[in-house]
């Protein structure tokens, strides 16, 4: 998956809604690709936990 797709998914996630898309966008702009990949994985893991509950 491309980094741009990951960024879009992160910005459209419930996490971004709660924390604010502007704040998340700033974080994505400041950090490198490895940070974005880790953040994406955390988002996916959180969504899986929410589905299981």
């Amino acid at each position: 998956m491309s980094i741009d797709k990951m960024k879009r998914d992160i910005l459209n996630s419930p996490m971004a809604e709660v924390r604010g898309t502007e704040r998340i966008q700033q974080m994505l702009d400041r950090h490198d690709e490895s940070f974005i990949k880790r953040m994406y994985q955390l988002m996916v893991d959180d969504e899986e936990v929410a589905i299981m509950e």
Side-chain angles (χ1 to χ4, degrees):
M1 178 178 297
S2 73
I3 292 298
D4 288 337
K5 172 77 169 109
M6 287 182 191
K7 285 181 178 182
R8 283 192 306 272
D9 288 352
I10 291 169
L11 289 170
N12 290 321
S13 70
M15 172 186 64
E17 289 179 28
V18 170
R19 296 183 180 178
T21 54
E22 181 67 29
R23 181 175 169 205
I24 299 296
Q25 181 65 57
Q26 290 172 357
M27 287 175 47
L28 295 174
D29 290 344
R30 278 195 315 262
H31 291 87
D32 63 2
E33 186 174 311
S34 63
F35 175 85
I36 294 167
K37 288 179 180 178
R38 287 191 308 268
M39 188 173 191
Y40 182 83
Q41 188 58 53
L42 287 171
M43 178 196 72
V44 170
D45 292 346
D46 284 348
E47 288 179 356
E48 287 176 358
V49 168
I51 289 170
M52 291 172 24
E53 292 179 345

